[in-house]
Amino acid sequence: MLTIDNYLDSHYIKRSNWLRAAVLGANDGIISISSLAIGVAAASNTREPIVLATVAGLVAGALSMAAGEYVSVSSQTDTEQADITREAQELKDMPEAELNILAEIYERRGLKKETARQVATELMAADALGAHVRDELGINEISQANPIQAALASGASFTTGGVLPLMVILFAPVRQMEYYLYAFTILFLSILGAIAARAGGSDVKKAIIRITIWGTLAMGLSALVGYLFGIKI
């Protein structure tokens, strides 16, 4: 039964925070590890250096992604909290001006001037700070960032994405490994793009094309670096 408490459950916007971090992590894991491995493989005749570089990159990348996501999202949360604190002070110092701002916001959204004033007055009487945080600052429970959730999603998804090219490195022939890595990475990226598009309710074909183009560019440049240096390990 549809109620005010569950009406957003079937909407894709609720997934935006964790889905962004998860897709970013997995995409970065696949492309970064594949690109690193391709660069080393282009300058190596043996498997060991490729495996070593890949495992080191996987561990460092996962930790870096998690830490970076946590710091980034924490900074966003700190900024949001600072704005909320400032808004609370403004409500104490100039409540009438804040009422006028809120009424004007509703009026610009399509309400008549008298209606907008009445809505603003009633909302401020019920929860003045909440009304201004939502409608003036644009912060709500859906858009608010969660540093721990973002860090875990990003680190775990990077590891998951990075393990895929590692499996190719462990089992594919060393000879022409770059080509095996490229082929499988494009396959992995296409699957990731399709899954992300499905989860977010967007166009699957567009997502696959976008992620494949950028992945190809990254791996191509990495291979070029390996070939240009041409130092056989």
Side-chain angles (χ1 to χ4, degrees), residues 61-71 147 150-152 154-156:
L63 294 176
S64 176
M65 283 292 293
E69 193 74 18
Y70 180 83
V71 171
L152 291 176
S154 185

Side-chain angles (χ1 to χ4, degrees), residues 76-122:
Q76 178 184 338
T77 303
D78 291 343
T79 301
E80 291 174 350
Q81 190 56 52
D83 266 345
I84 292 172
T85 301
R86 179 179 178 180
E87 192 64 32
Q89 188 61 47
E90 289 176 348
L91 284 168
K92 291 180 181 179
D93 296 341
M94 44 184 187
E96 188 64 27
E98 289 295 311
L99 174 62
N100 292 335
I101 291 172
L102 197 60
E104 186 176 347
I105 290 172
Y106 297 143
E107 188 177 348
R108 289 186 178 183
R109 289 180 181 176
L111 295 180
K112 294 181 180 179
K113 187 171 184 177
E114 297 77 12
T115 307
R117 182 82 180 184
Q118 182 180 353
V119 170
T121 301
E122 292 184 11

Side-chain angles (χ1 to χ4, degrees), residues 8 22 162 180:
L8 277 178
Y180 285 101

Side-chain angles (χ1 to χ4, degrees), residues 219-231:
M219 289 183 289
L221 291 174
S222 298
L224 180 61
V225 170
Y227 281 119
L228 286 177
F229 280 94
I231 301 173

Side-chain angles (χ1 to χ4, degrees), residues 205-223:
K205 184 178 179 180
K206 183 178 179 181
I208 291 175
I209 292 174
R210 179 172 56 223
I211 202 169
T212 299
I213 289 174
W214 285 104
T216 299
L217 181 62
M219 289 183 289
L221 291 174
S222 298

Side-chain angles (χ1 to χ4, degrees), residues 1 4-5 37 42 44 48 72 82 90 109 130 146 149 154 156 164-165 173 175 178 198 200 216 218:
M1 179 179 178
I4 191 64
D5 296 317
S44 177
E48 288 75 12
S72 174
E90 289 176 348
R109 289 180 181 176
N146 186 323
Q149 182 189 58
S154 185
L164 297 175
R175 182 180 175 84
E178 310 96 287
R198 288 285 186 182
T216 299

